Amino acid sequence: MAIAVNTSRFEGVTMAPPDPILGVSEAFRADNSLMKLNLGVGAYRTEELQPYVLNVVKKAENLMLERGENKEYLPIEGLAAFNKVTAELLFGAGNPVIEQQRLATVQGLSGTGSLRLAAALIERYFPGAKVLISSPTWGNHKNIFNDARVPWSEYRYYDPKTVGLDFDGMISDIKAAPEGSFVLLHGCAHNPTGIDPTPEQWEKIADVIQEKNHIPFFDVAYQGFASGSLDADASSVRLFAARGMELLVAQSYSKNLGLYAERIGAINVVCSSADAAARVKSQLKRIARPMYSNPPIHGARIVANVVGDPALFNEWKEEMELMAGRIKNVRQKLFDSLSAKDKCGKDWSFILKQIGMFSFTGLSKVQSENMTNKWHVYMTKDGRISLAGLSLAKCEYLADAIIDSFHCVS
């Protein structure tokens, strides 16, 4: 009689490291301190630090219930009404790229899934092409391109000396990249730094990308949520499109509509002709089919209902302005608290120059660990904090933690 050996066939599978962003929330939940703050994950909170479902989202969901809509499969490319409104929201209704049918839009699994579809397209049809990624960038960008087996390198972006944009370094690195590279750009509210190029700098970036025959690839995760204006936050993408450039744009509705768990977004590819756009769309569908078959319907209907209805659309814009305004108020209060409490005279004005839900504090890894270990402030180890998870009432406490970590920990 054979004796069963208690050895798993999966013995060779090693333990994966915790996710650097989502792992922060796990550590936060395990902390029993009353003073704890979760400034790790980029998710909007109310002044009471509670999750927020937009009123306009509730109305859109009620509409769906009233209509008795079914749960049938969507086509591979997603909900047609969603694809129409998401393209118009990004490029502006009547934009030539839409009118001339030079745009391939496919609904994706939020920003991450849309980026992953594009990465697979690059790997398949631009073999050996490199993607240039800002240093630093969102923690998942490198994972996505690694997983798709797309080579990448970094271009300079953040200048620790000024806690601002290293524009000369950025331009130099884009110029030095092999011709025909893909340049990953954050359309607005750069994550993690909150530092965006000026309109004049965007023009120069477009000049260099055109000169080098590179392909711009935008990640737009915060349209309307950064400045409070949908049009202002899409201006960088529209500038490149207006120059007649071919480009890729990944979109997400996690932040601006609060649809984090619905996984709703899109990949948009602007081509030089309608024929090229049709072929690109067919290949994006071909990539999506064995990956996840077709996208979910609930979030797509919410977006289609909100953006497609003038009354709901205007209400959404008002709610977005309120959310963006709350974050701006928190940003101002944090700056005021730091300036009032710091007796060493450090200039904290960089906090006010940043935009969006994040602030890049300039704290080192060791200083960030002090924030967590001593002050129960949970954040990523690169010094990024999510102001969306901060209340006005907690700004002074956070300022004390930052000043202590900055001046007392080296």
Side-chain angles (χ1 to χ4, degrees), residues 89-169:
L89 194 73
L90 182 61
F91 293 99
N95 191 298
V97 303
I98 299 173
E99 297 296 303
Q100 296 162 13
Q101 298 182 324
R102 294 190 289 111
L103 179 64
T105 299
V106 170
Q107 181 185 334
L109 305 182
S110 200
T112 300
S114 302
L115 288 160
R116 184 63 179 80
L117 275 182
L121 186 77
I122 292 169
E123 191 273 335
R124 191 169 292 186
Y125 291 99
F126 299 85
K130 186 175 280 189
V131 175
L132 302 182
I133 299 173
S134 67
S135 178
T137 193
W138 175 50
N140 217 16
H141 278 149
K142 294 174 185 177
N143 294 336
I144 289 165
F145 293 109
N146 284 339
D147 201 53
R149 294 179 173 83
V150 174
W152 55 267
S153 62
E154 293 181 311
Y155 60 84
R156 282 169 282 177
Y157 194 87
Y158 172 71
D159 183 351
K161 292 191 291 292
T162 62
V163 198
L165 178 63
D166 182 0
F167 184 65
D168 292 339

Side-chain angles (χ1 to χ4, degrees), residues 1-60:
M1 184 176 175
I3 299 171
V5 179
N6 192 22
T7 303
S8 171
R9 299 292 292 272
F10 301 99
E11 205 62 39
V13 178
T14 58
M15 181 66 74
D19 184 272
I21 298 174
L22 300 182
V24 172
S25 292
E26 292 171 15
F28 170 79
R29 284 192 288 270
D31 189 334
N32 295 319
S33 170
L34 295 175
M35 299 306 294
K36 67 179 181 177
L37 272 175
N38 186 359
L39 306 183
V41 180
Y44 182 80
R45 296 288 181 263
T46 64
E47 179 62 25
E48 294 72 42
L49 301 183
Q50 296 302 308
Y52 178 62
V53 179
L54 276 70
N55 290 322
V56 77
V57 167
K58 294 175 185 175
K59 290 182 179 179

Side-chain angles (χ1 to χ4, degrees), residues 77-95 97-98 103-108 110-111 114 220-221 223 230-231 234 237-238 249-254 256-257 259 264-270 281 299-309 313 316:
E77 68 266 35
L79 185 70
F82 166 79
N83 288 345
K84 178 180 185 294
V85 299
T86 198
E88 291 175 348
L89 194 73
L90 182 61
F91 293 99
N95 191 298
V97 303
I98 299 173
L103 179 64
T105 299
V106 170
Q107 181 185 334
S110 200
S114 302
V220 177
Q223 187 184 352
L230 288 160
D231 291 325
V237 172
R238 294 177 188 180
V249 191
Q251 287 171 284
S252 167
Y253 288 90
S254 291
N256 55 11
L257 262 171
L259 299 177
I264 177 66
I267 180 65
N268 303 268
V269 184
V270 176
K281 185 170 183 177
R301 280 185 175 148
I302 292 171
V303 176
N305 285 344
V306 170
V307 183
D309 180 289
F313 185 60
W316 177 40

Side-chain angles (χ1 to χ4, degrees), residues 198-210:
T198 64
E200 295 75 27
Q201 287 172 331
W202 275 120
E203 293 277 4
K204 178 67 174 171
I205 293 164
D207 287 342
V208 174
I209 287 176
Q210 277 188 300

Side-chain angles (χ1 to χ4, degrees), residues 274-344:
D275 177 62
R279 285 183 278 112
V280 166
K281 185 170 183 177
S282 75
Q283 291 298 339
L284 286 169
K285 289 165 62 177
R286 187 180 179 189
I287 290 165
R289 175 63 169 147
M291 197 182 282
Y292 56 83
S293 231
N294 52 355
I297 198 167
H298 193 81
R301 280 185 175 148
I302 292 171
V303 176
N305 285 344
V306 170
V307 183
D309 180 289
L312 289 179
F313 185 60
N314 286 329
E315 190 174 334
W316 177 40
K317 288 195 285 188
E318 288 172 9
E319 279 197 89
M320 233 179 331
E321 285 174 18
L322 285 173
M323 290 192 295
R326 192 189 90 72
I327 292 174
K328 286 176 186 174
N329 290 341
V330 165
R331 189 180 287 280
Q332 182 68 52
K333 177 72 182 291
L334 178 60
F335 166 75
D336 292 343
S337 300
L338 285 165
S339 300
K341 287 170 172 285
D342 189 357
K343 306 307 178 190
C344 298

